[in-house]
Amino acid sequence: MNRSLARHARIARLRADRPRVPDQEVRTVLGEVAASGLIEEIEPLITRGKGRHCTLPVRTLLAGMSLASRRSGGVVTFTAVTNLLYFSLSEAMRDRLGLHRYPDNDRGFEAAYAVVRRRLHSILQAIDPSPLPKNHRLARRHAEKLLAQADPGLLTRKRTRLLRLANMILRMSLREALPLLEDHWDGSVSLDATVIGTYAKGLAPSSPVTSTDPDAGWYVRNHRHQNPLALDDLNPAQAARSRQNVRRQQKNDRIKKSLYGYDASLVVARDPEHDGAPLPDGSASPDVVPALILAFSIDKPSHRPGQVGVEALQHIDDRFPRGYLAGDRAYNDQKPQNFQLPIRAMGYEPVYDYASDQLGVQTGFAGAQLIEGNWYCPSMPQPLKDATKELLDKKISKQEWIQRIRARASYLFLPKQRPDAEGHRRMMCPVESGRAQCTLKSYSLGRGIHLPLVDPEPSPVGSPPCCTQRTVTVPPESGAALWQPLQYGSDAWQRVYFRLRNSVEGINGFAKDPLHERLEESGTRRVRGIAAQTILLAFQLAHANLRKLAAWADATALNGDRPRRRPTRRRKTKPLGTWTPKGHVTRL
């Protein structure tokens, strides 16, 4: 008997103590949830006229998810939510939240966990934009039948609700940062899709059954972004070949990474006019707000990226201005009506880089030629037109490319005025803007040898309108896929594009940190389906924002005091003047 008591005592010491949550922390989270507007959005979706009354209010569930996110690096598991709400709060706080009492044992925990699960699934059911059941493999023919029978209008409305709720959760993390962004941000953003894993095994499209998460898809890092396991993705000629040839083709694609999951399109705010470097005393600048995730959307990998990106941009608060928008090459490869024209209608000015097949002359309008996103004089010398092509072919050096890009500026069409309400813009010939001289416009001759002389070749059909008119009106559809306002390769383009692109790549690495949010790992979101994955991802992104803001605040010197921590470890180097020869004084 004594041995049994001693053994039980040792086991009791091994039991984990319930973490106690201070009432003040709970009150803070409840205030954030109440101010977010989530309760007013969710409660009408799950209100039932019949059945048993649910003992878990919506605001309590949201508060529990927020507490779990804060205490576990942004990861929300519903066992943690159950423990926090039913067994870690004070008696007074549980009374305030209207929580039922359950005994602190296995049966009590299972009963409380069932309440949390039922409330969660009632919310997910109201916002799930997929008609497919989760958590078991479904015959593919049956899944196709369910998709065909689903109401597209209803699914669209549910997707709209899902993204609105998810972005409201994300916006909770920006409550203190919004006034700072209003004062120190010009509205410029970077858009990028980052892959996240789902808690299910991916199957080949040729499989007779679906995955247990049928809403997800394969992400493949190769030049075609195809599923390496799917023969059906190949064209008919390739599909007719032997499996050996198919394997050889897959090997030649040099697949570096494959993952079954989703693409999260993140909108990251960053002011490209500031480099974000620390101040001379090593502290962070209080006038440069760090890059933050403003909005996001989610879909299958490489599935309509342009439209998904536009969905994310629509959730940015209207109080903010619209500035530059930088995206990788996946976005300027979209149909203009799906991405390029919508973002310009929203007020953004795109900033792109280009693939090798998008260099040089791509299209024309009224005689002007679109070269790497900008309108140029058709008589610009051919070496200038092919500058970037020849750089990639290693025919010229980088310095020669820079010189040619600068020389292009003399042939660049400039806007005469802002676009009208329909997006049409009047553009001036480089002669009219005083950048060149032209034999077709005699009044421009004699301006000086520092300006290039344009001598258009005679044409049997006569000179184009851009050479005979002072201005031409360019409609938004002309060259819409590749157009951008900044001259490609110029100092301004490099500053804006690379700072915006670096900000979103930095956020991706920051949120995928294995010590914190672990964004890419599937085990951090253990509920299947696009609705659950989106909501859980929203809490992870919100935690990444809060962590980034806290690190910036700790690195800022307030009221002349020292910062709590240095912003970034910098290499200790000596200034160049240290090595000045004796007797020589450098200029300050």
Side-chain angles (χ1 to χ4, degrees):
M1 185 67 179
N2 291 335
R3 289 184 178 180
S4 178
L5 292 175
R7 184 165 58 250
H8 285 196
R10 292 190 183 95
I11 294 174
R13 288 196 294 270
L14 292 174
R15 279 189 173 184
D17 292 332
R18 297 289 190 185
R20 295 300 170 185
V21 183
D23 287 355
Q24 181 57 44
E25 183 179 354
V26 181
R27 285 193 289 267
T28 299
V29 170
L30 287 172
E32 294 175 356
V33 170
S36 69
L38 284 166
I39 301 173
E40 293 78 9
E41 287 283 340
I42 295 175
E43 284 186 340
L45 301 177
I46 59 175
T47 301
R48 296 182 301 173
K50 299 180 180 180
R52 295 176 59 186
H53 173 70
C54 182
T55 60
L56 180 61
V58 171
R59 69 159 186 161
T60 305
L61 175 63
L62 293 173
M65 296 174 71
S66 297
L67 288 170
S69 172
R70 293 183 178 214
R71 288 170 167 259
S72 57
V75 177
V76 177
T77 60
F78 291 95
T79 54
V81 174
T82 303
N83 276 324
L84 286 169
L85 290 179
Y86 289 95
F87 305 105
S88 300
L89 303 184
S90 66
E91 295 293 328
M93 185 56 66
R94 277 192 281 179
D95 290 337
R96 176 180 175 182
L97 296 177
L99 290 171
H100 184 76
R101 296 293 195 279
Y102 292 101
D104 191 2
N105 55 37
D106 56 345
R107 291 185 178 181
F109 176 84
E110 291 298 330
Y113 184 64
V115 173
V116 173
R117 285 188 59 192
R118 285 196 298 269
R119 180 54 99 184
L120 168 69
H121 286 293
S122 68
I123 296 173
L124 295 180
Q125 186 178 3
I127 60 176
D128 189 358
S130 170
L132 300 179
K134 286 75 177 173
N135 297 317
H136 66 272
R137 293 179 179 176
L138 188 69
R140 192 169 295 278
R141 289 183 179 179
H142 185 47
E144 293 172 354
K145 183 178 179 180
L146 291 176
L147 289 171
Q149 294 175 346
D151 181 2
L154 176 60
L155 298 184
T156 299
R157 290 192 294 273
K158 285 190 173 183
R159 180 173 176 84
T160 301
R161 293 175 194 162
L162 171 64
L163 294 179
R164 182 168 64 249
L165 293 179
N167 280 280
M168 291 172 72
I169 293 172
L170 176 62
R171 204 172 299 126
M172 290 170 58
S173 66
L174 301 172
R175 186 176 65 167
E176 298 295 335
L178 290 179
L180 299 173
L181 289 172
E182 288 181 2
D183 294 338
H184 302 290
W185 177 51
D186 68 346
S188 295
V189 297
S190 185
L191 179 65
D192 190 39
T194 184
V195 64
I196 60 171
T198 186
Y199 201 60
K201 181 180 179 180
L203 303 176
S206 57
S207 171
V209 295
T210 65
S211 168
T212 54
D213 191 342
D215 305 331
W218 279 101
Y219 167 85
V220 181
R221 183 179 291 174
N222 66 5
H223 70 281
R224 293 185 301 178
H225 286 266
Q226 291 180 336
N227 182 353
L229 306 178
L231 300 181
D232 295 339
D233 286 347
L234 304 176
N235 61 45
Q238 290 174 320
R241 297 174 186 172
S242 66
R243 286 186 173 273
Q244 183 178 1
N245 290 338
V246 171
R247 293 193 190 97
R248 186 182 302 113
Q249 179 66 37
Q250 293 172 355
K251 184 177 180 180
N252 292 337
D253 284 344
R254 291 179 296 177
I255 296 170
K256 298 181 179 179
K257 178 180 180 181
S258 62
L259 181 68
Y260 188 71
Y262 297 90
D263 259 353
S265 295
L266 308 183
V267 182
V268 177
R270 165 74 193 275
D271 188 349
E273 296 304 321
H274 299 89
D275 59 7
L279 298 176
D281 63 356
S283 63
S285 173
D287 297 330
V288 183
V289 182
L292 297 171
I293 306 169
L294 288 189
F296 79 104
S297 184
I298 189 172
D299 211 326
K300 292 182 178 180
S302 304
H303 184 66
R304 53 190 200 97
Q307 294 161 291
V308 176
V310 171
E311 283 181 335
L313 291 167
Q314 290 174 336
H315 292 280
I316 296 180
D317 200 313
D318 291 335
R319 76 178 76 177
F320 297 122
R322 301 299 190 256
Y324 293 111
L325 187 152
D328 61 16
R329 295 171 184 173
Y331 292 103
N332 58 17
D333 197 28
Q334 302 297 302
K335 293 181 179 179
Q337 64 268 24
N338 292 339
F339 181 73
Q340 292 90 333
L341 292 174
I343 65 169
R344 289 170 61 182
M346 295 167 69
Y348 291 102
E349 294 189 315
V351 186
Y352 302 130
D353 192 12
Y354 299 103
S356 58
D357 60 348
Q358 297 172 331
L359 303 177
V361 180
Q362 294 296 310
T363 187
F365 176 79
Q369 295 180 338
L370 188 73
I371 303 173
E372 289 147 30
N374 308 120
W375 295 105
Y376 288 98
C377 172
S379 298
M380 184 170 69
Q382 195 64 35
L384 300 187
K385 296 180 182 180
D386 297 336
T388 309
K389 283 184 177 181
E390 294 186 1
L391 174 67
L392 294 184
D393 293 338
K394 298 183 179 180
K395 295 180 179 179
I396 61 174
S397 66
K398 187 175 181 180
Q399 187 59 39
E400 290 176 296
W401 175 77
I402 293 174
Q403 293 173 356
R404 291 190 187 184
I405 292 295
R406 290 174 177 172
R408 279 183 180 180
S410 298
Y411 301 89
L412 181 66
F413 276 69
L414 296 179
K416 183 177 179 62
Q417 59 191 35
R418 296 180 63 84
D420 61 18
E422 297 179 351
H424 293 71
R425 188 194 292 263
R426 295 183 65 81
M427 304 291 290
M428 293 186 296
C429 162
V431 172
E432 300 299 332
S433 60
R435 291 172 172 247
Q437 308 173 76
C438 182
T439 56
L440 293 178
K441 298 180 178 180
S442 56
Y443 56 85
S444 68
L445 300 177
R447 290 178 174 175
I449 60 174
H450 62 286
L451 297 179
L453 177 63
V454 178
D455 188 12
E457 295 183 3
S459 172
V461 296
S463 300
C466 73
C467 296
T468 58
Q469 301 174 184
R470 290 181 177 269
T471 61
V472 292
T473 302
V474 182
E477 297 88 353
S478 295
L482 303 176
W483 176 84
Q484 60 177 322
L486 298 177
Q487 186 192 9
Y488 178 78
S490 65
D491 293 341
W493 177 87
Q494 294 186 52
R495 180 179 66 254
V496 172
Y497 179 78
F498 288 113
R499 285 181 179 175
L500 291 178
R501 287 290 300 147
N502 289 346
S503 67
V504 74
E505 294 297 341
I507 280 285
N508 286 342
F510 185 82
K512 292 179 181 179
D513 189 333
L515 291 178
H516 297 283
E517 293 81 16
R518 309 188 298 281
L519 201 66
E520 188 173 315
E521 296 183 17
S522 60
T524 60
R525 296 171 300 278
R526 299 196 174 200
V527 186
R528 298 177 179 92
I530 189 171
Q533 291 285 307
T534 304
I535 296 300
L536 297 179
L537 176 64
F539 281 101
Q540 288 178 288
L541 297 177
H543 188 272
N545 274 343
L546 291 172
R547 187 162 63 90
K548 199 168 186 64
L549 285 168
W552 173 64
D554 285 346
T556 303
L558 301 177
N559 302 319
D561 295 335
R562 296 295 305 166
R564 288 182 178 176
R565 57 176 290 275
R566 296 181 62 188
T568 305
R569 179 175 295 179
R570 300 276 174 173
R571 182 184 301 141
K572 294 182 178 180
T573 59
K574 296 180 180 179
L576 191 60
T578 304
W579 312 106
T580 303
K582 186 177 180 180
H584 178 79
V585 180
T586 58
R587 295 183 179 180
L588 298 179

